[in-house]
């Protein structure tokens, strides 16, 4: 079983954010802080999103969001770039022991994912950790990966409800994927689907894709669509910077094929007619 095939519903691995794409395991040893100083059961509550992996910014298409509801329950969201994984507010059990946080999720009756994260520091704004991810199939360990120096930031905004409605806009950066620089419309519905419109003459025409789905968790917006039943599934990821006064702004860190990165930006206005 390879990593891509077991990524589906992999909330227990959410806290690694596909780190294997960017960094190999390291042997650096970091002394753990005092559990009393961390006070994890209180400080970890809230919504977190991965920001950096070994000092390198994490591209938007690999970002995950995990929300600790209590010291024993969490949920997370991940639209994985390298597999079919589509986790929208998926649930996990949590155990906190000193400065160690264990997340457990069952992919199915045969496959279990366990991630143990050692929290190195935590404040009101960010969290540093290293993690040990294991996957068991019918009780046999099939994967064990260890990652160091992961940086998460606390997310205080959640635009899940504010995005609902019809928006008109276009890319405002010189470079982006899937975007032609023309005005388009998106109607985001409360059920997690959306409609995409092109302008033909003076009329807005629904693209009528066979699949158009999205979710927002905190500031992370993930979309996927298929033009026809036989066509390739496409995905796009954004971070919502703001929604205020009828204007929505997005940004995304994209990675080119040569490994260099650029920041895409997008601006939309809410349609009230």
């Amino acid at each position: 079983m390879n990593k891509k095939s077991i990524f589906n519903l992999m909330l227990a691995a959410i806290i690694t954010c596909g780190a294997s794409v960017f960094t190999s395991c390291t042997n650096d040893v970091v002394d753990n802080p005092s559990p009393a100083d961390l006070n994890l059961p209180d400080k970890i509550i809230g919504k977190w999103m991965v920001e950096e992996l070994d000092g390198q910014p994490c591209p938007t298409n690999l970002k995950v969001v995990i929300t600790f509801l209590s010291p024993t329950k969490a949920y997370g969201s991940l639209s994985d770039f390298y597999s079919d994984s589509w986790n929208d507010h998926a649930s996990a059990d949590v155990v906190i022991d000193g400065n160690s946080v264990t997340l457990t999720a069952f992919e199915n009756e045969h496959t279990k994912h366990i991630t143990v994260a050692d929290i190195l520091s935590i404040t009101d704004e960010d969290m540093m950790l290293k993690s040990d991810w294991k996957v068991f199939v019918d009780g046999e360990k099939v994967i064990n990966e260890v990652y160091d120096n992961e940086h998460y930031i606390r997310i205080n905004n959640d635009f899940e409800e504010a995005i609902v409605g019809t928006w008109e806009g276009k890319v405002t950066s010189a470079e982006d994927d899937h975007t032609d620089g023309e005005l388009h419309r998106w109607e985001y519905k409360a059920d997690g689907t959306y409609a995409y419109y092109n302008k033909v003459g003076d009329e807005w025409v629904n693209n009528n894709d066979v699949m158009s789905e999205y979710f927002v968790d905190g500031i992370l917006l993930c979309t996927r669509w298929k033009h026809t039943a036989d066509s390739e599934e496409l995905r796009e990821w954004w971070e919502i910077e703001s929604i205020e006064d009828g204007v929505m702004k997005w940004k995304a860190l994209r990675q080119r094929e040569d490994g260099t990165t650029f920041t895409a930006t997008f601006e939309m206005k809410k349609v009230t007619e």
Side-chain angles (χ1 to χ4, degrees):
M1 174 176 292
N2 59 35
K3 185 173 179 179
K4 291 184 182 180
S5 68
I6 55 82
F7 249 108
N8 298 336
L9 304 178
M10 190 189 66
L11 179 57
I14 267 180
I15 208 160
T16 69
C17 181
S20 59
V21 177
F22 292 90
T23 174
S24 61
C25 302
T26 68
N27 295 319
D28 297 337
V29 176
V30 180
D31 292 335
N32 289 340
S34 165
D37 293 338
L38 287 178
N39 191 20
L40 279 180
D42 291 332
K43 288 186 177 180
I44 205 169
I45 303 304
K47 191 177 295 291
W48 302 87
M49 184 173 72
V50 67
E51 184 73 2
E52 295 180 343
L53 299 165
D54 273 0
Q56 298 299 314
C58 181
T60 303
N61 62 8
L62 289 173
K63 289 200 170 183
V64 297
V65 176
I66 184 164
T67 303
F68 290 90
L69 301 172
S70 74
T72 60
K73 294 293 181 182
Y75 67 82
S77 297
L78 161 68
S79 170
D80 185 60
F81 184 64
Y82 293 98
S83 76
D84 294 332
S85 180
W86 181 261
N87 291 316
D88 176 5
H89 296 70
S91 62
D93 294 325
V94 179
V95 174
I96 297 177
D97 182 9
N99 65 348
S100 177
V101 179
T102 301
L103 297 98
T104 302
F106 289 87
E107 180 177 336
N108 51 50
E109 62 181 356
H110 299 286
T111 306
K112 177 172 66 173
H113 303 264
I114 299 177
T115 297
V116 179
D118 291 328
I119 311 302
L120 306 177
S121 67
I122 186 169
T123 70
D124 290 340
E125 298 179 353
D126 60 8
M127 175 169 56
M128 297 295 298
L129 58 91
K130 60 181 182 178
S131 63
D132 184 336
W133 170 43
K134 295 182 176 70
V135 179
F136 299 87
V137 176
D138 293 329
E140 180 182 356
K141 183 170 64 177
V142 295
I143 288 179
N144 187 186
E145 296 183 6
V146 179
Y147 304 96
D148 287 337
N149 303 323
E150 300 177 36
H151 180 204
Y152 278 70
I153 59 172
R154 187 184 294 274
I155 302 300
N156 295 312
N157 292 321
D158 195 336
F159 295 113
E160 182 178 3
E161 295 182 3
I163 198 175
V164 174
T166 301
W167 300 83
E168 179 180 317
K170 64 179 183 178
V171 66
T172 52
S173 55
E175 186 176 358
D176 190 36
D177 303 324
H178 302 305
T179 308
D180 57 14
E182 301 295 327
L183 283 173
H184 297 279
R185 283 186 177 183
W186 289 260
E187 180 187 0
Y188 294 101
K189 304 175 183 180
D191 65 357
T193 64
Y194 69 92
Y196 173 67
Y197 298 87
N198 292 300
K199 195 167 189 179
V200 180
D202 294 329
E203 300 292 327
W204 287 101
V205 178
N206 192 327
N207 206 47
N208 288 319
D209 292 333
V210 298
M211 181 183 73
S212 300
E213 299 177 352
Y214 82 98
F215 68 77
V216 174
D217 193 345
I219 65 173
L220 182 65
L221 166 64
C222 299
T223 63
R224 62 178 180 177
W225 68 95
K226 291 182 67 172
H227 297 307
T228 67
D230 297 327
S231 64
E232 177 188 6
E233 179 180 312
L234 300 174
R235 297 193 181 190
E236 194 167 61
W237 304 259
W238 292 91
E239 297 168 53
I240 302 174
E241 288 191 284
S242 62
I243 299 179
E244 55 185 4
D245 299 327
V247 176
M248 177 164 56
K249 295 181 179 181
W250 299 346
K251 68 176 181 178
L253 182 66
R254 310 288 193 208
Q255 189 172 43
R256 303 183 184 94
E257 290 186 2
D258 63 3
T260 60
T261 59
F262 67 95
T263 298
T265 58
F266 207 102
E267 184 171 316
M268 314 175 80
K269 293 183 179 179
K270 196 159 192 179
V271 177
T272 58
E273 63 188 34

